[in-house]
Amino acid sequence: MGRMEDIMEERTRNQRSAGFRRLGVVVLTLACGSAAADPTLVWCEVGAPGNRGVRADEFQWWANDDPDPGAVSYTFRITQTEVLSEQWASFVNAYSPYWTGHPNDIGFASPYLYRDDGGTYRVRARAERVPIIAEWTMAARYCNWLHNGMSGERWAFESGAYDASTFTFNPDGSGNHQRERSPGAKYWIPSLDEMLKASFYDPDRYGEGQGGYWLYPQGSNAPPIPGLPQNGGTTNTGQGLFNWYAGMYPDAQSPWGLLDVSGGQSEWVETAFADRLQDRFRFGSQFGGEGIWAAILDRGDYWDAGGVGGVLGFRVAGLVPTPASAIPLLLLWYIGNERRRRS
Amino acid sequence: MSKSLGSIAFLAALTANALSASAQCASGQLCPGAVAITCVGGGTVSNISCTAGSFGGTRIAFTADPNPGPAMTVIIRVLVPNYQIDEIAVNVPASNEQAVITVRADPGGSISRLYSMNKSGSGELWITRVDVGTGQIGSSTATTAITANSIDTIEADGSIYSDITSTGGAASVGTIARIESDFGSIFGNIQANSGVAILRANNGTIGSSTDTVTINTKADLQNISAISIHANINTRFSGGNGGIWNFVTTGGGFTGSLDTQYIDGLTTSTAMSINGSLDANLTVRDNIGDPVSIAGAFASGRTLAVGNSINAPVSFPNDGIVGQIVINSRNISGSWTANVTENSVALSPKPAYTNSSASIGGGAVGLLPFRIHPTDSDVDDGSVTLAESFPNVLKIHHYGPIEIVGSNPPVTIERRLALVEPPPPNPWTTVDATKYAYAAGGPNNRELQITPNPDWFGCGYEYRIRPVAGRLKCRDLPANGSEADVFADEYNFIVECSVGDLNRSGLIEIVDAEIWLDGPVDLNEDGAADGSDLLIITSQL
């Protein structure tokens, strides 16, 4: 088995292990896996609805207007990694007939796609599992597209999760961008609370059933370690692009199975910064740069915001499949696991 | 899910906790009522001063001493709207220690401008993030700078005028992860002791047509993007060896210059996409490894020198190759592997393509050592030309600029009888150099111009011209090019005395008519080999 297969197998084992552990605590918590919408998206379910928010002793640097950071009253799911090039290419190709900007604008195509002579966007060979970067508005349109069944019709990009007609600016530079997802949205850019919970909240942080927040997104209060996994690294922050891909640190998961919260790309969240609709919170460190940034930017209590015209990575959050569809998935996962254990 | 302002109790609890947890921090306020501070990681913040700056804003100065360190983080939080910061001066006294600084506005606050940040002392200043929201960084009328040992993100909705420098240090290599202006332009010079991940002015320019900025990096400039870019860019600054991953102009051209190790997206695709004219000299030390697309003309007098090979397509629009492209400019056995296209038509065959310079815009693409363009030369290589039509100056056109070294002839010219069936041995004889003059010239010095004395070149001869080693060189070679001789091409032509002299004896004879009868030739070029052609011969007998 090659190195990649080793890593994927190990990752799967870890995810199952985390899922089993959580099953004892949280009702119907699923392991991370793929599902409907774009089948290449791998989702992690974040349960424990009604969790408490961060305590001051857990996030010492925190100081913004979120009254109860990290508290989420519902179960949701979130992609295990940031959106990857192979996933983004489908969206970019679908939206390209309506894109009026430059075809190579990295806010749209990201740096990891190229347009072939026939006008089709393709992913370069080694970039399939590289997280893309995009403007916040394109991330929002991606969610609309998923919400609308990945239809190629123009309307499918314009509403559903976010009303794209609000993506405008006023003469003073302020934005009118929809503050948060539309009611009934199936997919959306995760809010700050959802990202905090999915990245840092552990239902067993202080012992079984005693939830709380870790300081860093790998289930630890120790910062991620920049470096290659074979050298003990747990993040590609401070690392170059060579030998780099999403999920390369399968042991460095959040309590809910999220990968690459540290490293990969810095990520958009949905939440607007105060009354500045044109500024959204962003999350985490990114590959490259210097390794020390992981210790700072990956802290749960470090935050800042950036203009929606910037380019960052992002995850997608979504509704949890209904029980009718979730139970067979759980059974399939369980049966598969049993077979592997017996073989 | 909407969050409201004013969770005072929570903020107070956190702030109190933060301060108690880092009790060495001198105060929770940098500038009382306007700027707060959060500092964590031990150490002390002292000598705080908030004074009037040089530009009507505030100068914030403090000492950040991480001792026992080695690092401490300071978050500078602006609490009031439209705050103007002229300068943030941080003293980090001890070597091998780092003060890590973030500058941002808290809810309810905003920064309308930030001009400068700098450091004194032996320690290091690391800038995590500077985000001025809708404000701008720097001044259009004053020279301002943000200088630190390492920089993660500097972002503004407005323009960025300040020079931004990441110097590196004992504990940092000096990267810049991200500089972005969302709605303005970037007019400051950028310098990184290592690489830059993203440099982007999505709705503005980098530099201007009247103000070319300087961008220096020692490692990769991964992504640079703007409507248009006017910059002298060096990714090999100070001994560095950085390349370009992704270079995009979305609505204009690129003016200035680029000196880089390579253009190769690694995991990106179109590594360079210029949506306008390319009016810049580009020096690529190694390879072009990913596609380069130029939507406008590659300007006259400009050179794209690729030190090694072109391994990915390079495309230009109709008549777009006005400047000079040189491949293998370092003369290291580089190759021309991928297509160079003009108006979607590949120049072919590589490297001695037959597309005329005029048909592609007036420029040329040359693989070092430069060969002779067979059809741009006057007369064509291998052609037969009537003496009466022979040009006064023979122009041997190369695919790249040439120069003559020394005072001796750069070529040898030989001739022999042009008879179709010459009596053996019909040897080549050297034409005495006194019979002609020579010079390099023509468009971009691509021509070797040979001017014969009036009675030359005599008709009835086949001529052969070959370069003399060490005397005819490829010239103007950036990318550390070593002087290279031109390709040892052999350039041939025949000067025919008259139409119908089919055996090239210099005379019209009965044998010419016999040759015609054996194989009719369209001598009058009317599209048919017929009696009118034969009549041309017989009428001269």
Side-chain angles (χ1 to χ4, degrees):
Chain A
M1 195 157 51
R3 175 75 190 151
M4 175 66 87
E5 286 82 2
D6 288 341
I7 291 172
M8 297 301 286
E9 176 65 22
E10 188 178 359
R11 187 174 68 177
T12 305
R13 281 200 306 273
N14 290 336
Q15 289 162 1
R16 290 200 184 102
S17 169
F20 273 125
R21 180 168 59 86
R22 210 159 292 117
L23 271 172
V25 179
V26 182
V27 176
L28 263 185
T29 297
L30 291 171
C32 301
S34 59
D38 184 340
T40 65
L41 293 172
V42 178
W43 297 93
C44 297
E45 186 174 313
V46 181
N51 65 295
R52 69 166 172 82
V54 168
R55 290 197 314 245
D57 64 309
E58 292 172 321
F59 279 11
Q60 295 183 1
W61 294 8
W62 191 268
N64 76 7
D65 61 327
D66 191 330
D68 200 14
V72 181
S73 61
Y74 46 86
T75 297
F76 64 99
R77 56 182 182 157
I78 186 169
T79 52
Q80 187 174 38
T81 67
E82 297 127 332
V83 173
L84 308 179
S85 296
E86 60 188 359
Q87 295 149 359
W88 192 244
S90 301
F91 166 75
V92 168
N93 279 312
Y95 188 65
S96 62
Y98 318 115
W99 172 251
T100 56
H102 189 274
N104 292 107
D105 187 340
I106 62 174
F108 169 58
S110 92
Y112 310 117
L113 306 184
Y114 71 97
R115 205 166 66 137
D116 67 15
D117 292 340
T120 300
Y121 286 90
R122 300 188 185 282
V123 183
R124 192 177 159 106
R126 286 181 288 164
E128 290 88 350
R129 292 191 57 78
V130 171
I132 58 94
I133 52 176
E135 295 181 5
W136 188 91
T137 53
M138 296 313 299
R141 283 192 164 92
Y142 181 76
C143 296
N144 286 343
W145 182 61
L146 293 179
H147 174 94
N148 293 308
M150 303 169 75
S151 166
E153 299 295 321
R154 179 160 201 159
W155 59 265
F157 303 93
E158 302 304 301
S159 64
Y162 304 94
D163 181 356
S165 70
T166 67
F167 297 168
T168 59
F169 292 89
N170 303 309
D172 65 355
S174 62
N176 304 307
H177 302 67
Q178 184 171 325
R179 177 177 288 276
E180 61 190 19
R181 75 208 63 155
S182 301
K186 300 173 187 170
Y187 303 96
W188 58 84
I189 303 168
S191 70
L192 186 58
D193 287 337
E194 289 164 346
M195 278 299 292
L196 287 171
K197 180 175 182 180
S199 303
F200 303 100
Y201 182 74
D202 185 342
D204 304 328
R205 166 69 176 86
Y206 298 107
E208 188 170 319
Q210 300 178 56
Y213 291 81
W214 298 101
L215 185 57
Y216 289 98
Q218 299 173 345
S220 171
N221 279 350
I225 302 167
L228 292 170
Q230 57 266 36
N231 299 329
T234 60
T235 180
N236 49 41
T237 302
Q239 305 299 299
L241 193 56
F242 292 106
N243 304 316
W244 173 63
Y245 53 89
M248 67 186 293
Y249 302 98
D251 293 332
Q253 300 183 8
S254 84
W256 301 96
L258 271 63
L259 299 170
D260 303 327
V261 178
S262 173
Q265 306 287 6
S266 292
E267 301 175 32
W268 287 119
V269 294
E270 176 189 72
T271 307
F273 176 70
D275 59 348
R276 286 154 51 178
L277 298 179
Q278 76 280 9
D279 287 340
R280 304 288 166 149
F281 284 94
R282 52 191 176 190
F283 215 83
S285 62
Q286 63 187 21
F287 86 94
E290 305 214 32
I292 191 174
W293 298 131
I296 300 164
L297 301 177
D298 292 334
R299 289 176 61 113
D301 53 3
Y302 182 90
W303 61 267
D304 70 357
V308 293
V311 286
L312 299 176
F314 70 101
R315 291 170 203 261
V316 180
L319 297 172
V320 176
T322 59
S325 57
I327 290 171
L329 279 174
L330 183 60
L331 288 174
L332 283 173
W333 162 76
Y334 179 78
I335 293 168
N337 190 68
E338 284 299 296
R339 283 179 177 165
R340 284 172 191 266
R341 286 202 307 173
R342 289 171 185 165
S343 61
Chain B
M1 278 170 287
S2 175
K3 303 300 178 189
S4 61
L5 293 175
S7 53
I8 303 301
F10 184 82
L11 288 176
L14 287 172
T15 304
N17 186 282
L19 293 177
S20 65
S22 52
Q24 296 97 334
C25 286
S27 171
Q29 297 284 328
L30 274 179
C31 306
V35 183
I37 184 174
T38 298
C39 54
V40 178
T44 57
V45 172
S46 60
N47 301 322
I48 296 171
S49 70
C50 286
T51 56
S54 305
F55 304 103
T58 302
R59 179 182 188 273
I60 300 171
F62 59 91
T63 295
D65 184 357
N67 188 42
M72 67 181 298
T73 293
V74 177
I75 303 175
I76 297 171
R77 300 155 37 212
V78 172
L79 307 174
V80 297
N82 301 315
Y83 198 67
Q84 299 181 358
I85 303 173
D86 284 356
E87 181 183 2
I88 297 175
V90 184
N91 176 33
V92 189
S95 58
N96 300 318
E97 293 184 345
Q98 304 98 46
V100 184
I101 307 292
T102 291
V103 182
R104 72 176 186 220
D106 265 11
S110 64
I111 304 170
S112 62
R113 68 176 208 215
L114 166 64
Y115 280 4
S116 297
M117 289 183 71
N118 54 69
K119 183 218 73 172
S120 59
S122 302
E124 295 188 18
L125 172 63
W126 291 38
I127 295 175
T128 315
R129 284 177 181 170
V130 171
D131 184 357
V132 300
T134 55
Q136 69 182 45
I137 292 175
S139 164
S140 61
T141 57
T143 300
T144 56
I146 293 177
T147 304
N149 297 91
S150 185
I151 296 171
D152 186 81
T153 296
I154 292 179
E155 180 178 343
D157 285 355
S159 291
I160 297 173
Y161 295 96
S162 297
D163 296 342
I164 298 172
T165 302
S166 180
T167 63
S172 56
V173 296
T175 59
I176 297 175
R178 184 184 301 267
I179 298 174
E180 283 196 88
S181 171
D182 288 348
F183 294 99
S185 296
I186 296 173
F187 295 120
N189 299 316
I190 310 295
Q191 182 168 310
N193 194 55
S194 182
V196 175
I198 294 175
L199 179 58
R200 182 171 186 250
N202 184 38
N203 291 288
T205 65
I206 295 176
S208 71
S209 57
T210 57
D211 185 11
T212 301
V213 302
T214 298
I215 299 170
N216 290 328
T217 71
K218 289 175 72 174
D220 291 337
L221 174 54
Q222 296 174 5
N223 296 284
I224 177 170
S225 173
I227 291 175
S228 61
I229 297 174
H230 312 273
N232 294 316
I233 303 171
N234 182 4
T235 65
R236 304 180 64 255
F237 173 67
S238 189
N241 61 352
I244 294 287
W245 290 12
N246 196 43
F247 189 120
V248 176
T249 66
T250 57
F254 171 38
T255 64
S257 64
L258 171 65
D259 185 348
T260 189
Q261 195 70 30
Y262 53 83
I263 297 177
D264 189 335
L266 302 179
T267 63
T268 73
S269 51
T270 303
M272 175 176 274
S273 177
I274 306 295
N275 198 33
S277 62
L278 177 57
D279 189 4
N281 288 321
L282 275 59
T283 303
V284 183
R285 305 285 161 157
D286 288 336
N287 301 316
I288 290 179
D290 266 332
V292 172
S293 172
I294 314 296
F298 179 33
S300 173
R302 297 298 195 176
T303 299
L304 164 56
V306 182
N308 196 342
S309 301
I310 287 183
N311 297 324
V314 180
S315 62
F316 296 89
N318 185 37
D319 289 333
I321 304 177
V322 187
Q324 174 72 50
I325 299 171
V326 177
I327 304 165
N328 185 39
S329 67
R330 292 166 60 194
N331 194 24
I332 55 173
S333 302
S335 60
W336 180 356
T337 305
N339 284 337
V340 175
T341 61
E342 179 268 342
N343 198 23
S344 301
V345 176
L347 305 187
S348 67
K350 300 188 288 280
Y353 59 87
T354 55
N355 317 59
S356 70
S357 177
S359 72
I360 61 175
V365 183
L367 173 69
L368 200 79
F370 300 135
R371 290 166 166 78
I372 293 170
H373 194 300
T375 55
D376 268 350
S377 297
D378 187 14
V379 296
D380 288 355
D381 185 25
S383 65
V384 178
T385 306
L386 275 175
E388 63 187 39
S389 303
F390 201 82
N392 293 328
V393 179
L394 178 67
K395 297 172 181 174
I396 305 176
H397 195 107
H398 293 74
Y399 288 99
I402 58 169
E403 62 182 340
I404 296 167
V405 176
S407 55
N408 292 314
V411 293
T412 58
I413 302 178
E414 300 164 292
R415 73 177 188 178
R416 65 182 180 186
L417 291 173
L419 284 166
V420 173
E421 296 180 359
N426 193 23
W428 292 102
T429 58
T430 301
V431 175
D432 191 283
T434 60
K435 303 292 185 183
Y436 56 89
Y438 49 84
N444 196 30
N445 286 299
R446 287 195 292 267
E447 290 178 355
L448 175 63
Q449 300 173 344
I450 298 177
T451 306
N453 289 337
D455 57 342
W456 285 80
F457 292 94
C459 70
Y461 289 93
E462 177 185 8
Y463 289 84
R464 178 173 75 176
I465 300 179
R466 295 184 294 178
V468 176
R471 294 182 191 166
L472 188 57
K473 299 277 192 180
C474 306
R475 64 169 285 180
D476 298 338
L477 299 176
N480 289 338
S482 59
E483 278 209 332
D485 284 358
V486 299
F487 192 79
D489 259 341
E490 189 174 298
Y491 174 74
N492 297 276
F493 59 90
I494 290 171
V495 182
E496 201 171 54
C497 293
S498 58
V499 177
D501 180 16
L502 297 184
N503 69 348
R504 296 176 184 145
S505 66
L507 300 171
I508 300 293
E509 305 159 299
I510 191 66
V511 68
D512 295 314
E514 292 172 354
I515 292 172
W516 191 94
L517 288 169
D518 285 344
V521 180
D522 180 18
L523 296 174
N524 61 6
E525 298 180 342
D526 65 353
D530 54 20
S532 62
D533 299 304
L534 181 59
L535 189 60
I536 289 174
I537 298 173
T538 56
S539 64
Q540 298 181 76
L541 291 174

